[in-house]
Amino acid sequence: MSERIVVDPITRIEGHLRVEVDIDEQGVIKEAYSSGTAVRGLELIVKDRDPRDVWAYVQRICGVCTTVHALASIRSVEDALEIKIPRNAHLIREIMNEAIFIHDHVVHFYHLHALDWVDVVSAISANPAETSKLAQSISSWPKSSPGYFLDVQNKVKKLVESGQLGIFANGYWGHKAYKLPPEVNLLAVAHYLEALDWQKEIVKIHTIFGGKNPHPHYVVGGMATPLDIDSDNGIHAERLMHVSQLIDQAREFVTQVYIPDLLAIGSFYKDWTYGGGLNNYLCYGDFSTGDLYDTKLYRMPRGIILNGNLKEVLDVDLKDPKHVQEFIDHSWYTYDGDRGGKGKHPFDGETTLDYTGPKAPFKTLDTDKEYSWLKAPRWKEHPMETGPLARMMVGYASGKEEIVNIVDETLKKLELPMDALQSALGRTVARGLESVLISGWMRNDMDELLANVKSGNQTTFDRTKWDPNTWPERAKGVGWMEAPRGALGHWIDIKDGKTYNYQAVVPSTWNASPRDHQNKIGAYEAALKGTPMLDKEQPLEIMRIIHSFDPCLACAVHLTDLETNKTTEIRLG
């Protein structure tokens, strides 16, 4: 006999996610079901709007991913209209995307995921002098004295003694699955607090190049960033130097704080190899050293890996209707008035809502039927995992020297084989490794931008095809990119100068998808299966695995009244 356990809502994520699992008598997860419990209807909102404005609407899909949907949208329009942007605009876009990657990964590690591995309350029994010794042995970060860690410990003690843990409330403190010594817990808690201060600095790159954060500004044809080193109003030399300093500070925090902490914590969990799942990996590729459309120049290579086979990297064509399809057999949508058996390529996609789930209050979903507001994206009908681990696996299999070297070096330090990466721990390690790589790429891109500006090239916008009179009557395009959480695609169909159809397939749709027409499960569901749970009342193992993907199911929820078909926007936070 199996028992159904429900975790709803999954906390420390963006958006609304429900997970139901069936566990056997030994406490092992036999089946898992991932349900997106809020509907996102932005595809309907942008219909008939000016394609040049769509990025500003769809950027509001998320307040955490903030800039990535804008960039994917802009790229979709430029692809449809065959617009090539100036090199400076490409570099600024890359730097802004690299900044959100590093910000997102650091925040995820310390503030969303670390508490699955770190027992905060245990830190009050640590010896601050031993924590100081540990910190100085793994990093040259200056904040490492015994007095510094004693101050942090006293703050935690006051919270615990007051009975009001604040930001650390409702954790599973004392759970048997926690393995870190008190001194390592104290180190992690100290850097948790430091990361809160640090994270507000790197996003200043967006306010300088994009005008604000979150949701910085973009423009079809390049960037609206006025580069002028001699101007008081444009992006002058002082502001460029500020960006350069922020990049150096980010690289220092990643290499001196984030990575040492990651390896220190990971070394205690080397046997926690659960959460692998599909072993199918998808990466659209990004961060080109040349033209965006020359995928051979991507630092993050494009490709598909099936069944963990690192000897073969398959191609993905985002315009091929057989490569990318979304199925809705277990989703609350219909296609052409029907639900089952057929998938649709995003160019032909529909967002037709059809809720058939239970009325609240209810205990469990009927997972034999429809149970999610997420569709089920598939590559050639294969469920795929996307995100940092997928990028590392595709990059490694593609022979990218930087990726191969950093993966091999890290596995050697942890004394782990390659297949250990295919786990929740490996997913977390992969996120840190690409932070190191991206911080270096950001430095290189900024150096190239500075060289261009100094040589007199300050162009950031090409208005050649800005006027709709220059557009064809019908044009289709796809904007692809790698976002922090994985492969992101926006597909647009432009007709008579207006948005005729629009579809976005986001990373968490790939990863958190429900079952499809062949009853194949998605990445979350596959990763949970086979995991033993020590305490069903405190499902820490479920949180570890789900958090390793860094779920993002949308922060601005758009609800549609199915009787009036009227869309209402509800802003959270």
Side-chain angles (χ1 to χ4, degrees):
M1 288 290 292
S2 63
E3 179 182 358
R4 177 70 57 96
I5 293 177
V6 178
V7 184
D8 182 18
I10 297 284
T11 55
R12 282 185 274 128
I13 68 167
E14 175 57 20
H16 306 271
L17 174 66
R18 177 187 181 98
V19 168
E20 299 188 7
V21 301
D22 294 333
I23 62 172
D24 63 17
E25 294 177 353
Q26 286 72 44
V28 176
I29 298 174
K30 306 306 292 182
E31 296 292 343
Y33 305 91
S34 165
S35 175
T37 57
V39 61
R40 179 174 51 82
L42 278 160
E43 295 95 340
L44 304 175
I45 292 172
V46 301
K47 185 175 175 60
D48 296 326
R49 296 189 184 275
D50 190 322
R52 296 169 298 181
D53 296 338
V54 169
W55 68 268
Y57 290 92
V58 298
Q59 187 169 209
R60 272 69 185 177
I61 285 174
C62 182
V64 169
C65 303
T66 177
T67 145
V68 298
H69 292 289
L71 183 52
S73 178
I74 288 281
R75 286 178 173 178
S76 73
V77 177
E78 291 169 349
D79 181 55
L81 302 177
E82 298 182 351
I83 294 173
K84 295 295 181 69
I85 66 173
R87 179 65 182 171
N88 286 342
H90 173 78
L91 291 169
I92 292 171
R93 290 180 180 182
E94 296 287 85
I95 293 166
M96 290 173 69
N97 193 28
E98 288 155 353
I100 194 63
F101 258 81
I102 295 174
H103 175 272
D104 191 276
H105 286 355
V106 169
V107 167
H108 172 262
F109 178 72
Y110 285 105
H111 307 133
L112 303 180
H113 192 29
L115 302 187
D116 299 325
W117 312 95
V118 174
D119 188 335
V120 173
V121 175
S122 164
I124 65 176
S125 62
N127 181 336
E130 290 300 315
T131 299
S132 173
K133 187 184 297 184
L134 169 65
Q136 293 173 13
S137 72
I138 62 176
S139 170
S140 59
W141 188 248
K143 293 183 178 181
S144 61
S145 69
Y148 170 70
F149 289 113
L150 178 61
D151 288 343
V152 173
Q153 186 181 54
N154 286 334
K155 290 179 183 178
V156 177
K157 281 182 178 179
K158 287 180 181 179
L159 287 173
V160 174
E161 290 169 358
S162 71
Q164 297 178 345
L165 285 173
I167 57 176
F168 299 129
N170 300 322
Y172 300 142
W173 315 129
H175 196 290
K176 294 179 180 179
Y178 285 123
K179 294 185 177 182
L180 298 182
E183 288 70 26
V184 182
N185 285 319
L186 178 57
L187 176 73
V189 172
H191 291 161
Y192 177 110
L193 298 174
E194 283 188 54
L196 281 176
D197 288 330
W198 171 87
Q199 58 86 27
K200 70 180 186 298
E201 295 299 315
I202 191 172
V203 295
K204 290 178 180 177
I205 292 173
H206 289 176
T207 66
I208 294 171
F209 282 143
K212 64 190 183 77
N213 178 274
H215 308 314
H217 296 299
Y218 289 82
V219 65
V220 171
M223 290 295 294
T225 310
L227 290 178
D228 189 343
I229 58 175
D230 299 319
S231 168
D232 291 333
N233 298 320
I235 309 299
H236 48 65
E238 183 179 349
R239 289 175 180 166
L240 288 171
M241 288 303 101
H242 190 188
V243 172
S244 190
Q245 291 169 0
L246 291 168
I247 290 171
D248 289 341
Q249 290 168 8
R251 184 162 178 77
E252 183 182 25
F253 194 88
V254 167
T255 57
Q256 295 299 314
V257 182
Y258 178 14
I259 296 303
D261 284 357
L262 175 62
L263 295 179
I265 293 170
S267 67
F268 287 91
Y269 289 100
K270 291 190 293 185
D271 62 338
W272 215 87
T273 55
Y274 305 105
L278 295 171
N279 295 339
N280 294 339
Y281 301 106
L282 161 69
C283 181
Y284 291 164
D286 208 340
F287 299 110
S288 177
T289 57
D291 186 88
L292 175 67
Y293 298 98
D294 189 348
T295 58
K296 294 179 181 178
L297 298 178
Y298 282 4
R299 291 153 166 155
M300 283 180 178
R302 170 177 290 188
I304 297 284
I305 290 175
L306 288 181
N307 302 316
N309 180 13
L310 299 184
K311 296 181 179 180
E312 183 178 31
V313 179
L314 304 172
D315 188 34
V316 54
D317 184 345
L318 302 184
K319 295 183 179 181
D320 188 329
K322 295 181 180 179
H323 276 231
V324 179
Q325 292 180 314
E326 288 190 293
F327 294 86
I328 56 170
D329 299 67
H330 288 275
S331 308
W332 292 311
Y333 299 92
T334 60
Y335 283 163
D336 303 318
D338 193 12
R339 173 171 281 107
K342 64 178 180 179
K344 284 201 172 190
H345 184 270
F347 275 146
D348 303 313
E350 280 185 54
T351 306
T352 304
L353 313 178
D354 182 33
Y355 182 72
T356 57
K359 293 183 179 181
F362 61 90
K363 290 185 178 181
T364 60
L365 295 163
D366 185 349
T367 48
D368 290 331
K369 298 181 180 178
E370 302 82 37
Y371 61 91
S372 181
W373 278 116
L374 275 66
K375 299 176 182 177
R378 298 292 185 259
W379 176 81
K380 292 188 175 181
E381 303 199 18
H382 292 284
M384 307 298 300
E385 173 179 338
T386 189
L389 177 57
R391 289 189 285 258
M392 289 295 104
M393 299 299 277
V394 171
Y396 193 95
S398 299
K400 280 286 182 179
E401 186 175 359
E402 274 189 301
I403 295 175
V404 171
N405 288 343
I406 198 169
V407 169
D408 285 345
E409 290 169 6
T410 303
L411 290 174
K412 185 177 180 180
K413 288 178 182 177
L414 290 172
E415 299 179 334
L416 289 173
M418 185 67 187
D419 59 8
L421 277 181
Q422 299 179 75
S423 65
L425 176 63
R427 211 169 280 118
T428 304
V429 169
R431 188 172 279 105
L433 299 188
E434 72 174 13
S435 296
V436 175
L437 295 173
I438 290 170
S439 66
W441 301 341
M442 184 162 58
R443 179 69 268 166
N444 294 338
D445 289 337
M446 188 64 193
D447 288 344
E448 183 180 344
L449 178 65
L450 289 172
N452 289 348
V453 173
K454 289 177 182 178
S455 70
N457 177 7
Q458 300 179 21
T459 303
T460 60
F461 174 65
D462 185 340
R463 64 177 304 111
T464 304
K465 295 186 178 181
W466 177 256
D467 190 335
N469 291 325
T470 64
W471 303 352
E473 291 183 9
R474 191 78 176 265
K476 293 182 179 181
V478 56
W480 65 83
M481 63 178 297
E482 285 299 318
R485 291 162 179 84
L488 172 64
H490 283 231
W491 284 259
I492 191 169
D493 185 352
I494 302 171
K495 184 178 180 181
D496 298 327
K498 299 294 182 183
T499 303
Y500 181 71
N501 194 18
Y502 199 93
Q503 294 291 315
V505 184
V506 308
S508 291
T509 311
W510 282 100
N511 289 334
S513 75
R515 283 153 166 75
D516 60 20
H517 61 303
Q518 297 177 338
N519 216 37
K520 292 180 179 178
I521 60 179
Y524 288 6
E525 297 179 346
L528 289 166
K529 289 184 65 174
T531 301
M533 295 178 60
L534 295 177
D535 183 352
K536 65 182 180 183
E537 300 299 325
Q538 294 187 326
L540 181 62
E541 296 85 356
I542 293 176
M543 303 299 280
R544 276 182 181 172
I545 291 172
I546 296 297
H547 283 155
S548 74
F549 289 92
D550 193 10
C552 189
L553 287 94
C555 65
V557 179
H558 297 265
L559 303 177
T560 298
D561 186 321
L562 295 179
E563 294 182 358
T564 65
N565 206 33
K566 181 179 178 181
T567 300
T568 304
E569 181 177 343
I570 299 176
R571 294 188 181 275
L572 302 181

